[in-house]
Amino acid sequence: MLSIAGSDSGGGAGVQADLKAFAACGVHGMTAITAITAQNTVGVSAVHSIPPEMIVAQVRALRNDIGIDAVKIGMLGTVETVHAVARSLDEIPRGTPVVLDPVMVAESGAELLDPAARAALIGLLLPRSTVVTPNVPEARALVAVGDPRVAGDADMATLARAILALGPAAVLITGGHRAQATDLFWDGDNMTELTGERYPDGAAHGSGCTHASVLAACLAWGDEPLQAAWTAKALAARAVRDGLSEIGAGPGPVDVLGIGSRGPIS
């Protein structure tokens, strides 16, 4: 499994969350770092983008030796990074599952995808995606750029249809920002609501990264996208429920590995 994403120095989101989710799903995790963030549970204080040629080199090194069974894409940040990721996907065998988590804003509110990069993401990466996993604000942002004819207050079904028309094979709008924790899956044939428990007392930092990574891992194992979406929802919800709220002064990280229930190794 390959995560193409940014690094969270606090260990809660980004490639750190992706690797934990991959491990929880029984797959070997690899990374192509797109950016380094100075980040903790309170906020992002600095971002350093990795040069585009280094992003391509990381993916190429993995392809040439280990192989890549599925890809999860997270934080990209800049137009140059989006183009580098698109070039990298050109070098991966056609048909490799790709899950795109269109990370635009951090849990703390920090902007993680500049406006110019949004159009590039829509034009270059959405058509290559097996599943795209925006939350509701991200879905509205994608539609605002990709199909401005759709009203900003459109319902989730309208948003899902508009995003699918931009090129991905399937859309999964996550429900973390809704009153009910209900996701919506749409692949052009099946419009399915995925219901689940909300855990307001849990810790949610990294929940979107975890969700997308679990989904990608399930696709690597051969699950159909809707089946993978159900598993991703269940594992991400459990990770929020068991989240490490005692870590840091802000929203604590999710716990997909059950770290909080374990003592020291003896």
Side-chain angles (χ1 to χ4, degrees):
M1 280 296 312
L2 171 61
S3 166
I4 305 176
S7 170
D8 173 1
S9 56
V15 295
Q16 288 82 357
D18 298 342
L19 290 173
K20 295 173 198 175
F22 293 160
C25 294
V27 300
H28 173 66
M30 308 177 294
T31 63
I33 307 296
T34 59
I36 299 170
T37 68
Q39 184 174 172
N40 53 31
T41 65
V42 177
V44 179
S45 57
V47 176
H48 172 70
S49 295
I50 300 300
E53 61 272 16
M54 185 59 187
I55 296 171
V56 176
Q58 291 175 85
V59 177
R60 187 174 293 153
L62 301 174
R63 180 209 64 190
N64 288 345
D65 176 37
I66 301 172
I68 299 168
D69 292 314
V71 179
K72 181 262 182 174
I73 301 173
M75 175 188 172
L76 299 177
T78 68
V79 171
E80 294 79 12
T81 298
V82 173
H83 280 269
V85 172
R87 294 203 309 273
S88 298
L89 294 181
D90 286 340
E91 299 191 10
I92 296 173
R94 186 179 297 274
T96 301
V98 175
V99 174
L100 173 62
D101 181 17
V103 178
M104 296 183 182
V105 179
E107 193 80 23
S108 63
E111 190 85 12
L112 297 179
L113 184 67
D114 68 48
R118 297 183 183 187
L121 181 145
I122 290 168
L124 294 175
L125 299 184
L126 278 184
R128 303 165 191 246
S129 300
T130 310
V131 186
V132 58
T133 63
N135 58 34
V136 174
E138 290 165 347
R140 296 195 191 285
L142 289 174
V143 171
V145 176
D147 189 355
R149 297 169 299 175
V150 178
D153 59 353
D155 61 26
M156 286 183 66
T158 301
L159 292 172
R161 290 189 178 96
I163 294 171
L164 192 76
L166 298 174
V171 179
L172 180 63
I173 302 179
T174 59
H177 290 75
R178 305 178 71 196
Q180 301 295 323
T182 301
D183 300 349
L184 184 68
F185 177 89
W186 171 238
D187 63 2
D189 294 317
N190 300 305
M191 182 79 73
T192 304
E193 289 193 335
L194 288 71
T195 58
E197 294 291 326
R198 178 178 291 282
Y199 297 102
D201 297 326
H205 183 53
S207 57
C209 303
T210 299
H211 177 275
S213 294
V214 171
L215 199 159
C218 290
L219 295 179
W221 280 116
D223 290 355
E224 292 298 320
L226 181 56
Q227 179 186 2
W230 277 111
T231 302
K233 181 169 185 61
L235 264 65
R238 187 184 71 191
V240 170
R241 180 197 67 191
D242 300 339
L244 306 173
S245 55
E246 70 278 7
I247 291 181
V254 299
D255 183 8
V256 73
L257 291 173
I259 295 169
S261 63
R262 299 175 185 169
I265 296 174
S266 58

